[in-house]
Amino acid sequence: MKLLVTGGAGFIGANFIFHMLDAHPDDEIVCLDALTYAGNLETLEPAADNPNFTFVKADVADREAVYGIFEKEKPDVVVNFAAESHVDRSIEDPGVFLRTNIIGTQVLMDACNKFGISRFHQVGTDEVYGDLPLDRPDLFFTEETPITASSPYSASKASADLLAMAYHRTYGLPVTISRCSNNYGPYQFPEKLIPLMIANALADKELPVYGTGENVRDWLYVEDHCRAIDMILQNGRVGEVYNIGGHNEKNNLQVVKIILEKLGKPESLIRFVTDRKGHDLRYAIDPAKIHAELGWLPETKFEDGIRKTIDWYLDNKPWWENIISGEYRDYYEKMYANR
Ligand code: NAD
Ligand code: DAU
């Protein structure tokens, strides 16, 4: 089987490629990535010498380039991770989110229709369900929760999901969609909460917590997400949505304090800053469907996952120090200087 993995030079896509090369050594993987600020070829170094792995630099919204790749590679399965993924950036500049996340998905699905594939898997997010109130811990997102969106990012991801379902119904494209909660683990770009807090704490810099720090996220170790997508590709039902989440809710302040404690740094580094616009209060996934149908359950407890993640950032300083010295420095200044 040949898989085309888009966005594979980013955080989850790269972890997914490593998982698949390991779990299915006979499969071939072609990674298509535009190498935006969030994509990094260094991340894919562990796969570089694998004869079943190839990389091609292309933009998912570039129809000519995408069709050319399909014509040459003839993939059986497409897994679409390629996206602009950071909510804060989408608030500053929504345009590129609509282009990559919506038009890019459309172009990929048109290519699938034109050249033929056995599966198109759209990697979605729980953010398409909006948010839940903090005082109703009994409520969870199920696959039937109505789609809504708080940020340009989540609106673009919701649009892509709707488009994928429309392509399934209208053209019979064999689509599956997964909607996952917040991932953490190796190779996550340091603009996201956990790696940002690790990097700042190690540098004894302030840790910017938005609002009161009470917003809740449902944290899942990235390998558990990759295993879930693998299971959906093997046995998931076409035309279905699968929620993926770990029943591991923590508010942001709790997460930040755990990181400080593990690194032996003082809580005085925490600084409460102006809240994110439209900030979602709580995400919480009900993963009953993927558990019942495919037998998936998360395997990594937060206690172990956060330890492994912190150790990875400690052991791989060149990877992220390189990133935070480039374009990211300007971004950080703009985002946090007068907050
Ligand atoms: P990321 O930002 O780390 O990586 C995105 C990758 O996509 C990068 O390699 C980037 O170069 C590439 N890319 C961006 N625009 C492109 C384009 N036009 N053409 C080709 N490649 C392009 O993102 P991530 O955190 O790994 O997220 C991957 C996917 O998973 C996204 O679709 C995201 O919405 C979804 N998701 C993420 C999380 C999370 O917690 N990070 C949770 C649920 C779902
Ligand atoms: O739920 C899945 C989503 O999780 C994915 O679809 C997104 O791609 C991914 O980026 C993530 O979105 P969040 O907005 O939840 O993640 P982020 O790491 O940006 O923020 C997590 C929480 O931490 C959120 O409540 C905002 C807060 N935060 C974030 C940053 C960067 C802070 O308090 N301070 C910060 O500096």
Side-chain angles (χ1 to χ4, degrees), residues 2-4 28-31 54-56 66-76:
K2 191 185 253 192
L3 283 90
L4 180 71
E28 283 177 70
I29 297 185
V30 179
C31 171
T54 46
F55 176 83
V56 49
V66 168
Y67 283 13
I69 291 163
F70 271 71
E71 196 162 27
K72 176 166 180 268
E73 301 291 351
K74 301 183 176 45
D76 304 296

Side-chain angles (χ1 to χ4, degrees), residues 75-152:
D76 304 296
V77 168
V78 176
V79 185
N80 183 25
F81 290 93
E84 288 293 334
S85 68
H86 193 36
V87 172
D88 291 331
R89 288 186 190 249
S90 84
I91 294 166
E92 293 303 305
D93 183 12
V96 66
F97 284 73
L98 309 194
R99 183 179 183 276
T100 294
N101 300 0
I102 306 175
I103 304 300
T105 304
Q106 182 218 354
V107 168
L108 285 171
M109 292 192 300
D110 284 343
C112 290
N113 271 340
K114 185 173 164 69
F115 294 94
I117 42 93
S118 61
R119 181 73 68 84
F120 176 82
H121 183 75
Q122 174 67 7
V123 180
T125 170
D126 62 356
E127 298 202 12
V128 303
Y129 298 125
D131 64 352
L132 296 164
L134 292 177
D135 60 356
R136 290 292 308 274
D138 55 313
L139 296 180
F140 297 92
F141 297 139
T142 73
E143 290 79 1
E144 274 70 51
T145 302
I147 298 291
T148 179
S150 311
S151 70

Side-chain angles (χ1 to χ4, degrees), residues 220-264:
L220 184 73
Y221 193 62
V222 63
E223 170 63 19
D224 281 324
H225 185 187
C226 296
R227 211 168 29 82
I229 295 174
D230 185 3
M231 288 169 128
I232 295 169
L233 293 179
Q234 308 305 322
N235 295 312
R237 287 182 297 135
V238 160
E240 294 291 322
V241 173
Y242 293 91
N243 282 354
I244 307 169
H247 274 310
N248 180 49
E249 291 177 52
K250 301 221 177 300
N251 74 35
N252 297 334
L253 204 50
Q254 287 171 314
V255 171
V256 170
K257 285 184 177 175
I258 290 171
I259 292 169
L260 286 170
E261 192 253 318
K262 302 247 178 257
L263 288 172

Side-chain angles (χ1 to χ4, degrees), residues 12 54 101 130 141 188 298 315-316 318 322:
I12 309 174
T54 46
N101 300 0
F141 297 139
Q188 186 166 30
D315 294 343
N316 292 275
N322 213 3

